[in-house]
Amino acid sequence: MTRSPRALQRALTAAATALLASTVMTVIATKPAAATATPQPGPVAAPVMGWNSWNRFGCNIDENLIKATADAMVSTGLRTSGYTYVNIDDCWMAPTRDAQGRLRPDPVRFPGGIAAVADYVHARGLKLGIYSSAGTATCQGLPASLDHETIDAQTWASWGVDLLKYDNCNNQGRPALARYKAMGDALKATGRHIVYSICNWGDDAPWEFAPNAGGSLWRTTGDINASWGSITSLLDQQAGLETFARKGFYNDPDMLEVGNGPLTADENVAHFSLWSVLSAPLLLGNDLRSVSAATLNVLRNADVIAVNQDWGGSQGRRVADNGDAEVWAKPMSDGSVAAVLFNRGGSATTVSTSAAALGLGGSSSYTTKNLWTGATGSTAGTLSATVAAHGVAMFRVTRAGTLAAPPAAGTLQVSDLPWLASSGGWGPVERDRANGEQAAGDGPGLTIGGTAFAKGIGTHADAAVHVYLGRACRTFTAQVGVDGEVGTNGSVRFAVYGDGRLLGFTGVKTGGQAPTRLTVSTGGYLTLELRVTDARNNGISYDHADWGAPTLVCGGSGGGTAVSDRTWGAAVNGWGPAERDISNGEQAAGDGSLITVGGVSYPKGVGVHAAGDVTVPLGGACSRFTAVAGIDAEVGTSSTGVVFSVVADGVTLWTSPTVTAAAPATVDVAVAGRTNLRLVTSGAGSIDFDHADWADARLIC
């Protein structure tokens, strides 16, 4: 990180310390600002919707096509349905730059210029997207933007461009992060909100680097085409990527082919349903000037679009794989679940699941709505439909009955509790023993990295265990890793969900590694899901994954709320601002990364830099505060340590020992009757690199 002179640093540190000691603070941070009419650079609010020229037209484009498409988006009602972006792909640029080194539009295809096209599109309440490549030439051999990032970004901003699709052709073998971050920084520096769509075909794990490069969406695959085999191949490649999407940042399995080529009506519906449940960008690729009524009926389905645009804490994921019959599901912000019963086979079949397997267990009954027929119904828990070949049945399922009794208060082992549902990749999920792949009970004792566990859960990826909490449990913790029975084989990721919302997930765990402690806050959740997925590098062979000593602390029921979603009072920070749901990057707001401490990443939390002090008004309405206090992984082992303290109404309720990168601390503090909560951090020595996270910080209120 770039540092100010040491004298200035000492002065800033002294000033921050004085502020921490003061009982009177100036309020400098409040709840998140509302979006403005012209948003500044930052994440998108939901997956982008619009149209792109490539799938149907390739290089056969000109300004008349783009204008006619914009007109068609209005006249067909697609704009009203939410489709906003009109994106020009490759072949818009002239073969050479101008005398000032700027990209210029092809004079034959776009004689009026791109700025005029942007004006035309904007006048219709739409936005314009453009294309380039992070290489020396585009995929069609035209001038691209590698080493021209600043001038190109400025050019597009001056034209009124609203989105950039940035390809990967002719990249000269240079590192992906550096190439894509250079453009991300240049786009941000323009001051114009230009959505950054990274298109490097899934190479170099863009789901890991793209957010730090400024990307709001990133391609996870190669190009799509209008065939059933292409659609299902790209769908399969999404499994295991669900943990990397979060609100404002989305996996992109490529554009839609609905209405193109030989796709059948059922295939079009399946394609659109699955991309919607994945929270994928919905970018049309057909000719909108002659779109059929049947295709429009698919593309304008308001119920399905609502699933795509809503954020309930996780993108959709595959929850069952029974050969040709699959189930994909996505949690919704109102507590319901969108479920896709998918038949990838060549003849009609019955596809079934349960409310418990969808993460909705614990209710005596449920209501259902078929999102394609509009039919409503009720069920005691089973969801089933006869599904056409290459088709889907898509439902929204909601709890409607009496809730089950919660677990007893105390410290409980998950292997001793009843489970709502469980599933495994090979053999059954086991209690207090490893998975042996075949019959129940055929595994040995649980051992991770040489550490034996008397209690735990043995699985084989992909696997899930669903447990009912009844809003009565505060924290969950386990030691996770690959079982010793497979030696150094196996590679998996562990994730924990509360009511379908992603709470925390590990990096890749391989055979022979020591266990990782995975702790999350569970206050206010009805159900907990423990999920293991293959790490996507060598198949599921040997993926024997253990939850060692999985423990719930229960007692004290109530609703839960993330601290990062609440209004804050005063916020003082050592470097840069205190951040919501990202780490502290030391400089401007929003420059941090996904919160990661102790090998676990958290979508929710508070990122600060010691010395820091964040005040959270409680108004006497909350009973418990929980979090994982740790040093963010972005600074490695550079921090000398941080002391975390929880202070309420002038009383210190909890203070950690010195926390280092290797040993996060679990926070579980009673705050009943307290008016204001303060989250205080101080350096244990120098404050350099003291990027301190209150990961998964949560209140029971």
Side-chain angles (χ1 to χ4, degrees):
M1 297 289 179
T2 302
R3 293 280 178 175
S4 300
R6 182 60 57 183
L8 176 58
Q9 179 177 325
R10 285 198 299 269
L12 289 170
T13 303
T17 302
L19 280 170
L20 289 175
S22 174
T23 58
V24 179
M25 293 186 173
T26 302
V27 176
I28 61 172
T30 59
K31 63 183 178 181
T36 60
T38 306
Q40 294 301 301
V44 294
V48 297
M49 297 174 62
W51 175 89
N52 180 283
S53 62
W54 186 258
N55 284 1
R56 175 63 179 82
F57 297 100
C59 278
N60 296 317
I61 59 172
D62 60 26
E63 64 183 39
N64 293 326
L65 171 67
I66 304 307
K67 292 177 179 180
T69 297
D71 290 337
M73 288 178 70
V74 176
S75 65
T76 59
L78 288 167
R79 182 189 65 181
T80 302
S81 293
Y83 296 92
T84 303
Y85 289 88
V86 182
N87 297 339
I88 309 170
D89 211 284
D90 205 347
C91 303
W92 64 266
M93 62 281 285
T96 59
R97 292 174 177 265
D98 68 13
Q100 288 73 45
R102 297 182 182 275
L103 290 171
R104 55 195 180 98
D106 185 287
V108 175
R109 299 180 191 273
F110 294 89
I114 299 299
V117 175
D119 289 343
Y120 190 94
V121 169
H122 292 158
R124 282 143 186 82
L126 301 169
K127 299 178 180 180
L128 186 74
I130 206 78
Y131 166 96
S132 188
S133 183
T136 54
T138 71
C139 296
Q140 299 302 308
L142 293 165
S145 299
L146 186 64
D147 298 327
H148 296 271
E149 293 86 2
T150 298
I151 193 170
D152 288 355
Q154 291 172 345
T155 298
W156 297 323
S158 72
W159 290 346
V161 165
D162 304 294
L163 179 147
L164 170 67
K165 175 184 173 182
Y166 204 40
D167 218 329
N168 196 34
C169 286
N170 301 299
N171 60 46
Q172 307 303 303
R174 287 163 58 173
L177 175 59
R179 287 185 293 116
Y180 284 101
K181 189 175 187 304
M183 181 56 78
D185 290 345
L187 292 172
K188 188 174 182 179
T190 68
R192 181 175 179 82
H193 187 233
I194 300 176
V195 174
Y196 188 23
S197 173
I198 290 176
C199 178
N200 75 325
W201 322 319
D203 292 350
D204 304 301
W207 41 88
E208 295 181 349
F209 78 75
N212 291 334
S216 292
L217 47 149
W218 49 88
R219 276 276 294 280
T220 57
T221 66
D223 287 357
I224 196 171
N225 63 62
S227 70
W228 185 243
S230 175
I231 291 167
T232 54
S233 173
L234 269 57
L235 176 69
D236 290 342
Q237 294 175 60
Q238 306 316 301
L241 294 181
E242 55 269 14
T243 56
F244 296 100
R246 59 191 194 273
K247 186 173 177 60
F249 303 92
Y250 304 101
N251 292 305
D252 177 7
D254 205 5
M255 299 168 286
L256 291 164
E257 291 282 11
V258 176
N260 281 341
L263 294 177
T264 68
D266 287 329
E267 289 169 348
N268 280 329
V269 169
H271 180 21
F272 192 71
S273 300
L274 289 160
W275 262 233
S276 292
V277 86
L278 286 169
S279 300
L282 298 182
L283 292 173
L284 313 180
N286 55 323
D287 188 346
L288 298 183
R289 301 169 303 176
S290 57
V291 61
S292 70
T295 296
L296 282 175
N297 286 339
V298 175
L299 300 177
R300 295 187 309 200
N301 184 313
D303 286 334
V304 177
I305 290 172
V307 169
N308 175 262
Q309 295 290 286
D310 183 76
W311 186 253
S314 174
Q315 76 163 54
R317 59 190 186 276
R318 187 170 61 196
V319 298
D321 181 0
N322 299 307
D324 285 340
E326 298 180 358
V327 180
W328 294 73
K330 175 184 175 179
M332 305 297 289
S333 59
D334 67 354
S336 65
V337 169
V340 176
L341 309 185
F342 176 41
N343 175 18
R344 62 195 300 157
S347 59
T349 192
T350 299
V351 183
S352 301
T353 188
S354 68
L358 298 175
L360 279 177
S363 178
S364 61
S365 65
Y366 304 84
T367 59
T368 64
K369 180 179 181 180
N370 187 312
L371 302 189
W372 286 105
T373 69
T376 59
S378 63
T379 176
T382 299
L383 187 67
S384 184
T386 299
V387 183
H390 298 184
V392 300
M394 187 173 185
F395 297 90
R396 194 150 170 174
V397 186
T398 306
R399 289 186 182 94
T402 303
L403 295 177
T411 300
L412 310 176
Q413 291 294 320
V414 175
S415 61
D416 293 336
L417 295 174
W419 297 345
L420 294 168
S422 65
S423 60
W426 287 91
V429 176
E430 300 279 9
R431 298 174 185 265
D432 302 332
R433 65 175 59 243
N435 170 275
E437 298 192 1
Q438 304 298 326
D442 64 350
L446 298 160
T447 304
I448 307 172
T451 301
F453 295 90
K455 305 295 294 181
I457 300 171
T459 72
H460 191 300
D462 288 356
V465 174
H466 297 266
V467 183
Y468 187 67
L469 306 183
R471 299 194 182 100
C473 300
R474 306 194 300 267
T475 62
F476 166 82
T477 190
Q479 300 282 339
V480 300
V482 175
D483 194 87
E485 66 182 332
V486 297
T488 58
N489 296 305
S491 58
V492 299
R493 293 183 187 272
F494 294 80
V496 181
Y497 295 83
D499 291 344
R501 296 174 178 269
L502 178 62
L503 307 184
F505 65 99
T506 69
V508 175
K509 297 292 296 178
T510 58
Q513 289 182 338
T516 293
R517 188 181 74 173
L518 200 174
T519 299
V520 297
S521 298
T522 59
Y525 295 116
L526 284 169
T527 60
L528 193 72
E529 178 184 357
L530 311 181
R531 178 163 286 273
V532 181
T533 57
D534 174 63
R536 297 170 49 90
N537 52 11
N538 57 7
I540 68 169
S541 295
Y542 305 106
D543 283 353
H544 295 206
D546 294 342
W547 300 83
T551 305
L552 283 163
V553 177
C554 301
S557 62
T561 177
V563 170
S564 57
D565 292 338
R566 295 177 67 95
T567 298
W568 292 353
V572 177
N573 214 38
W575 289 91
E579 300 279 10
R580 300 173 188 265
D581 301 332
I582 56 173
S583 66
N584 170 273
E586 298 195 2
Q587 305 298 326
D591 65 350
S593 304
L594 177 67
I595 291 172
T596 302
V597 296
V600 179
S601 296
Y602 297 90
K604 304 295 293 182
V606 180
V608 300
H609 192 303
D613 191 331
V614 176
T615 298
V616 184
L618 304 183
C622 301
S623 62
R624 207 85 191 178
F625 168 74
T626 57
V628 177
I631 307 299
D632 197 88
E634 66 189 345
V635 297
T637 58
S638 298
S639 171
T640 56
V642 172
V643 175
F644 293 77
S645 298
V646 178
V647 180
D649 302 337
V651 178
T652 300
L653 305 179
W654 175 87
T655 298
S656 73
T658 298
V659 173
T660 62
T666 300
V667 188
D668 184 358
V669 180
V671 295
R674 303 295 182 175
T675 302
N676 288 292
L677 187 72
R678 289 171 52 204
L679 307 180
V680 181
T681 52
S682 56
S686 167
I687 69 165
D688 284 0
F689 305 104
D690 281 354
H691 295 205
D693 296 332
W694 298 90
D696 204 23
R698 193 164 179 83
L699 287 158
I700 298 176
C701 303

